[in-house]
């Protein structure tokens, strides 16, 4: 791991060295490449072109040392011997970097948590009978949560319990005193005590976000360590409340996932069917659209227009939501959004919130595709807006499906690349480990035993986005291949999971091709892939819970920081990825994050995040840009933890990962 800005820039900006005009390698996905070749030939612009247009980047921005928080600014700190070392108010590089970083944490936390808030609210409306079309699909999960939260269910209907639970959950968002509920219910005592000692136990989701904005206002908190501690607290409000509630209440409302087979990549689009691509994040919208597309009235209408049926597939995390619960096909990850439209086969691109490129609208105008926005929080000039409202969700979903059907005959030339890959998804804390415990026993014992005996080295969570600064999917694939070759069980969410799914890593057979012998034995016995898809980005909370369960099972230490585990976001793109990194480090995990956060302009902040913070939370960051080197750092960390726990040596030597993509 490197901390000096100079060295770091060398790793993370390798793409910048390529002359702007030369077409650099943009994707490791051959299916995506086919479409890029066509967009190039037709002179159709994509995010890759806009990336190149931005070169060369502003060095101050990249290093995080420009501040525009107050109207005396903007101020810049010189990274060189000469030039200003303080802003007009006296803020140093460390203050500026830390302030901006925790603002990013707060923005990421608010994105996840606002999404969680909407799901809880939809459950409340459903319980009251005013959200037409929604039903509580998993009363079992609801009653389980009620038992965990100490809410009596005796002589109460499902709706009564749901209402009470939703009202309690809403308080987690706007609590003004006390603590969020999940850490004491789910984390270890030592972890809870550590957080209390540090003063980083979140009071409520919004409380911490508001305080972040206050602390980072001009002339408030100037102490970088104090700022970062509050960033950790804010992130815990997301990971252990906002996101965790999104997952739990999503499971109650839309059903708890079970392992499911499906397919991924642009080849899932259908030449002879109406194609609706749902893109964004909230299952409240996508679940209804999937249901409406299966409505016999809609199917009949589609046939009248000459289509054989209606295909609903997803992009980004909404894809993961409908994949996990409905087995719906995945059209692609973040950098597939423009490519899907460029096939000419998308009749409607339906978007809600987050990760939606505004460029989609202009791009879609070159084809017949209609871009429909649905959230009052996310409108794009030029798009058709059809306001989605929980009270009338099903009706609106049907209207949207109708627009797609009506648009089907308007298609111009269609060119769908034939590539698609089979995958298995739908893993959760419970069902994964029911598998690992054998068919009849739900227990983490076999997982812990496999780690203790040296059959498995540990568990790695590889999560996050695509980033146009990197070759699409390449870092995810290379890192995961290296990890599984070294007997590390990998869990994934978000666009990273889609990247590896496209590569075939989410099939049980992948274990025989690429995993080390120990991991292979586990996969064979249990019938799971070496890489487990745990869902969307808010479902990273499933990983936190799984880790707590591992500690509870015994033999692997007292808190999360003791476990032989590591996390990574090798193609991180947005503020949501930053907050995830933060709550993992706050929870005691080692996290490799790349491209590096924009902190390298302050050696103090960089050192704090990559070294000193380990003394505080038990976790830390590294910013290694090479995915294989990063995987080795993660393995090194796991080995250090294994040694501290005095676990047995690894049973098998790693296989050499032969990377060809
Ligand atoms: O919340 S992985 S690009 S889709 S942010 Fe966005 Fe990143 Fe994809 Fe999902 Ni997560
Ligand atoms: Fe400059 Fe300080 Fe204002 Fe930032 S807050 S713009 S460093 S004067």
């Amino acid at each position: 791991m490197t901390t000096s800005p100079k060295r770091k820039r060398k790793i993370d900006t390798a793409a910048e060295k390529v002359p702007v005009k030369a077409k650099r390698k943009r994707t490791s996905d051959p299916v995506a490449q086919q479409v890029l070749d066509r967009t190039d030939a037709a002179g159709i612009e994509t995010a890759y072109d806009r990336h190149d247009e931005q070169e060369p980047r502003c060095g101050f921005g990249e290093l995080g040392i420009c501040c525009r928080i107050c109207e005396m600014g903007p101020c810049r700190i010189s990274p060189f011997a000469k030039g200003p070392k303080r802003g007009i108010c006296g803020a140093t590089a460390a203050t500026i970097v830390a302030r901006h970083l925790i603002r990013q944490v707060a923005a990421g936390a608010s994105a996840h948590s606002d999404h969680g808030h909407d799901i809880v609210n939809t459950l409340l409306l459903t319980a009251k009978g005013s959200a037409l079309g929604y039903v509580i699909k998993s009363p079992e999960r609801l009653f389980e949560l009620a038992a965990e939260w100490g809410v009596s269910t005796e002589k109460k209907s499902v709706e009564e319990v749901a209402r009470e639970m939703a009202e309690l959950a809403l308080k987690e968002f706007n609590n003004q005193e006390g603590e969020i509920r999940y850490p004491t219910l789910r984390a270890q005592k030592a972890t809870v005590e550590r957080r209390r000692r540090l003063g980083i136990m979140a009071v409520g989701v919004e409380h911490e976000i508001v305080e972040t904005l206050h602390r980072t206002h001009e002339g408030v908190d100037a102490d970088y360590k104090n700022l970062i501690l509050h960033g950790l607290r804010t992130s815990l409000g997301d990971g252990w409340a906002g996101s965790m509630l999104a997952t739990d209440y999503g499971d109650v409302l839309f059903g708890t996932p079970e392992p499911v087979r499906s397919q991924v990549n642009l080849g899932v689009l259908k030449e002879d069917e109406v194609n609706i691509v749902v893109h964004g994040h909230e299952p409240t919208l996508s679940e209804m659209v999937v249901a409406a597309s299966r409505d016999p009235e809609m199917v009949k209408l589609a046939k009248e227009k000459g289509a054989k049926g209606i295909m609903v597939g997803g992009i980004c995390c909404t894809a993961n939501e409908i994949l996990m619960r409905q087995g719906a096909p995945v059209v692609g990850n973040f950098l597939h959004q423009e490519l899907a439209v460029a096939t000419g086969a998308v009749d409607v691109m339906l978007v809600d919130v987050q990760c939606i490129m505004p460029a989609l609208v202009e791009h879609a105008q070159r084809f017949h595709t209609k871009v429909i926005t649905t959230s009052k929080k996310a409108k794009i000039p030029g798009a058709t807006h059809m306001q989605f409202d929980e009270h009338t969700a099903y009706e609106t979903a049907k209207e949207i499906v109708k627009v797609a059907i009506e648009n089907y005959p308007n298609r111009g030339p269609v060119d769908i690349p034939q590539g698609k890959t089979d995958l298995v998804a739908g893993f959760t804390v419970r069902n994964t480990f029911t598998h690992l415990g054998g068919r009849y026993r739900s227990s983490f014992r076999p997982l812990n035993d496999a780690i203790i005996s040296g059959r498995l080295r540990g568990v790695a969570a590889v999560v996050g986005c695509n980033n146009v600064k990197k070759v699409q999917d390449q870092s995810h694939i290379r890192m995961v291949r290296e990890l599984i070759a070294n007997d590390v069980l990998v869990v994934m969410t978000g666009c990273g999971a889609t990247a590896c799914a496209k590569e075939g890593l989410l099939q049980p057979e992948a274990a025989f091709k690429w995993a080390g012998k120990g991991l292979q034995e586990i996969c064979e016995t249990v019938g799971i892939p070496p890489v487990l898809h745990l869902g969307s980005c808010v479902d990273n909370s499933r990983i936190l819970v799984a880790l707590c369960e591992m500690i509870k099972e015994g033999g692997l230490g007292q808190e999360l920081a003791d476990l032989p585990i590591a996390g990574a976001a090798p193609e991180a793109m947005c503020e949501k990825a930053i907050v995830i990194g933060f709550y993992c480090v706050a929870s005691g995990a080692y996290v490799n994050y790349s491209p590096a956060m924009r902190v390298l302009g302050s050696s103090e902040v960089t050192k704090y995040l990559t070294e000193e913070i380990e003394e505080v939370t038990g976790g830390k960051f590294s910013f290694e840009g090479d995915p294989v080197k990063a995987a080795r750092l993660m393995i090194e960390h796991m080995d250090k933890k294994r040694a501290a726990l005095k676990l047995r040596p690894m049973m098998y030597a790693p296989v050499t990962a032969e990377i060809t993509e």
Side-chain angles (χ1 to χ4, degrees):
M1 203 267 331
T2 37
T3 52
S4 98
K6 212 172 146 213
R7 172 98 174 84
K8 206 46 239 158
R9 279 173 60 77
K10 219 170 143 189
I11 291 169
D12 276 328
T13 56
E16 293 170 19
K17 288 197 204 105
V18 179
V20 170
K21 292 284 176 225
K23 287 286 178 199
R24 62 186 171 101
K25 183 169 164 75
R26 290 165 288 175
T27 180
S28 67
D29 173 357
V31 180
Q33 188 57 52
Q34 284 180 50
V35 183
L36 283 170
D37 289 343
R38 281 208 310 272
T39 52
D40 286 349
I44 298 169
E45 173 198 283
T46 63
Y48 297 98
D49 302 301
R50 295 189 294 274
H51 164 272
D52 294 347
E53 223 175 68
Q54 288 293 332
E55 302 300 346
R57 305 290 172 104
C58 164
F60 295 99
E62 281 216 84
L63 295 171
I65 42 179
C66 97
C67 179
R68 52 187 195 94
I69 273 177
C70 89
E71 300 306 332
M72 295 191 287
C75 299
R76 301 186 303 188
I77 304 297
S78 168
F80 308 108
K82 279 194 183 155
K85 293 287 171 269
R86 284 183 156 71
I88 295 165
C89 66
T92 60
T95 306
I96 290 174
V97 158
R99 277 198 307 216
H100 285 79
L101 180 65
I102 77 163
R103 280 198 167 197
Q104 290 188 292
V105 168
S110 46
H112 288 147
S113 297
D114 202 27
H115 161 175
H117 183 275
D118 283 355
I119 289 179
V120 173
N121 206 34
T122 309
L123 180 68
L124 181 63
L125 295 174
T126 308
K128 287 179 177 169
S130 53
L132 294 180
Y134 294 99
V135 282
I136 298 168
K137 289 227 181 98
S138 183
E140 305 78 41
R141 185 71 187 125
L142 174 69
F143 280 72
E144 220 173 63
L145 287 172
E148 187 188 29
W149 289 30
V151 170
S152 155
T153 53
E154 228 173 291
K155 297 196 183 118
K156 288 182 194 159
S157 68
V158 170
E159 285 69 27
E160 280 166 337
V161 177
R163 192 170 171 156
E164 205 174 325
M165 288 296 287
E167 278 162 358
L168 280 177
L170 287 176
K171 290 197 185 128
E172 295 285 291
F173 293 93
N174 54 26
N175 246 2
Q176 295 303 318
E177 56 187 36
E179 290 173 350
I180 51 170
R181 166 187 312 261
Y182 277 133
T184 33
L185 292 176
R186 295 181 175 179
Q188 274 55 51
K189 211 166 153 244
T191 308
V192 172
E193 279 167 7
R194 187 199 278 258
R195 289 182 196 168
R196 286 189 182 139
R197 210 170 47 242
L198 292 170
I200 60 169
M201 189 65 112
V203 171
V205 178
E206 291 159 14
H207 183 277
E208 311 315 337
I209 293 169
V210 170
E211 194 174 312
T212 300
L213 292 178
H214 177 197
R215 279 176 186 244
T216 57
H217 184 272
E218 168 280 327
V220 188
D221 201 351
D223 177 338
Y224 71 91
K225 288 188 188 172
N226 205 38
L227 283 159
I228 290 170
L229 274 180
H230 185 70
L232 295 171
R233 180 152 74 142
T234 306
S235 73
L236 288 170
D238 174 12
W240 292 81
S243 282
M244 211 168 263
L245 290 165
T247 297
D248 283 345
Y249 281 63
D251 285 353
V252 168
L253 192 53
F254 304 114
T256 309
E258 285 300 332
V260 63
R261 285 183 180 277
S262 190
Q263 291 187 313
V264 60
N265 219 335
L266 297 165
V268 303
L269 294 169
K270 297 268 170 55
E271 185 133 18
D272 50 6
E273 293 188 20
V274 175
N275 290 312
I276 301 173
V277 176
V278 286
H279 170 24
H281 282 78
E282 295 187 350
T284 30
L285 168 71
S286 48
E287 288 280 333
M288 276 300 142
V289 173
V290 172
S293 74
R294 291 173 186 169
D295 191 310
E297 185 195 334
M298 293 295 115
V299 177
K300 186 167 166 267
L301 201 62
K303 290 195 169 147
E304 281 166 20
K305 292 283 174 191
K308 287 211 175 113
I310 305 167
M311 196 294 307
V312 180
I315 296 242
C316 281
C317 276
T318 216
N320 296 322
E321 298 284 358
I322 53 174
L323 164 70
M324 293 281 282
R325 300 199 178 90
Q326 312 266 6
V330 177
V331 177
N333 43 7
F334 179 67
L335 284 173
H336 268 41
Q337 55 188 291
E338 290 176 294
L339 306 186
V341 171
T343 63
V346 177
D347 302 301
V348 157
M349 172 76 86
L350 183 65
V351 304
D352 55 12
V353 289
Q354 302 167 24
C355 302
I356 299 143
M357 292 189 192
L360 266 184
V361 171
E362 207 185 307
H363 178 67
Q365 280 159 4
R366 305 187 68 136
F367 305 89
H368 81 301
T369 306
K370 279 201 161 50
V371 177
I372 302 181
T373 53
T374 55
S375 167
K376 62 181 188 303
K377 298 171 201 166
K379 296 188 177 181
I380 308 174
T384 306
H385 188 75
M386 294 175 76
Q387 184 58 49
F388 190 77
D389 181 308
E390 289 80 358
H391 298 91
T392 52
Y394 193 62
E395 287 315 306
T396 316
K398 273 169 73 177
E399 285 306 310
I400 292 167
V401 173
K402 259 190 221 161
V403 172
I405 296 170
E406 300 290 341
N407 200 26
Y408 174 76
N410 299 332
R411 284 185 189 176
V414 168
D415 197 348
I416 303 170
Q418 285 315 301
K420 56 184 173 186
T421 313
D422 292 334
L423 68 99
V424 179
F427 294 98
T428 61
V429 175
R430 163 116 38 100
N431 70 29
T432 306
F433 299 100
T434 306
H435 278 273
L436 287 173
R439 303 229 174 274
Y440 309 106
R441 201 160 60 96
S442 172
S443 157
F444 278 67
R445 196 68 249 157
L447 175 68
N448 284 23
D449 283 348
I451 293 174
I452 292 165
S453 64
R455 184 166 271 115
L456 273 187
R457 191 179 301 271
V459 179
V462 181
V463 306
C465 327
N466 282 150
N467 185 327
V468 78
K469 283 183 174 171
K470 303 216 172 198
V471 175
Q472 184 194 18
D473 301 345
Q474 189 181 64
S475 296
H476 284 291
I477 295 166
R478 289 189 175 177
M479 174 177 278
V480 168
R481 290 272 307 271
E482 182 69 19
L483 289 167
I484 64 173
N486 281 275
D487 289 321
V488 175
L489 177 69
V490 175
V491 292
M492 298 194 82
T493 57
C495 290
T498 306
C500 288
K502 288 189 274 171
E503 181 71 4
L505 283 157
L506 270 59
Q507 302 166 354
E509 305 80 77
F512 305 105
K513 288 192 207 151
W514 296 305
K517 195 156 185 302
L519 176 56
Q520 222 176 73
E521 285 170 2
I522 304 272
C523 293
E524 192 176 5
T525 316
V526 184
I528 51 169
V531 182
L532 302 176
H533 192 330
L534 265 70
S536 67
C537 292
V538 291
D539 292 335
N540 284 320
S541 60
R542 296 192 202 276
I543 301 172
L544 296 176
V545 179
L547 299 176
C548 292
E549 292 297 318
M550 282 169 71
I551 303 160
K552 262 187 220 153
E553 190 62 51
L556 291 174
Q558 302 307 314
E559 53 173 334
L560 224 130
D562 299 333
L563 290 171
I565 54 143
E571 299 180 29
M573 184 274 293
C574 62
E575 290 160 323
K576 287 180 286 168
I578 292 185
V579 72
I580 292 166
F582 255 69
Y583 69 63
C584 289
V585 168
S587 303
Y590 169 81
V591 174
N592 190 79
Y593 189 97
S594 179
M597 293 169 184
R598 285 194 276 271
V599 298
L600 301 178
S602 162
S603 53
E604 285 163 302
V605 172
T606 306
K607 189 161 194 261
Y608 188 66
L609 293 173
T610 57
E611 293 174 30
E612 295 160 2
I613 204 171
E614 195 169 14
E615 291 289 310
V616 181
T617 68
K620 66 173 178 180
F621 285 105
S622 60
F623 297 135
E624 176 57 58
D626 177 316
V628 176
K629 281 189 195 153
R632 294 201 181 125
L633 289 172
M634 293 159 79
I635 288 166
E636 219 171 81
H637 178 81
M638 288 179 208
D639 287 346
K640 193 174 88 186
K641 296 293 174 184
R642 292 186 64 86
L645 289 166
K646 300 194 170 50
L647 304 184
R648 286 196 213 130
M650 291 302 294
M651 274 185 191
Y652 306 108
V655 299
T656 318
E658 192 196 316
I659 312 267
T660 47
E661 49 62 57

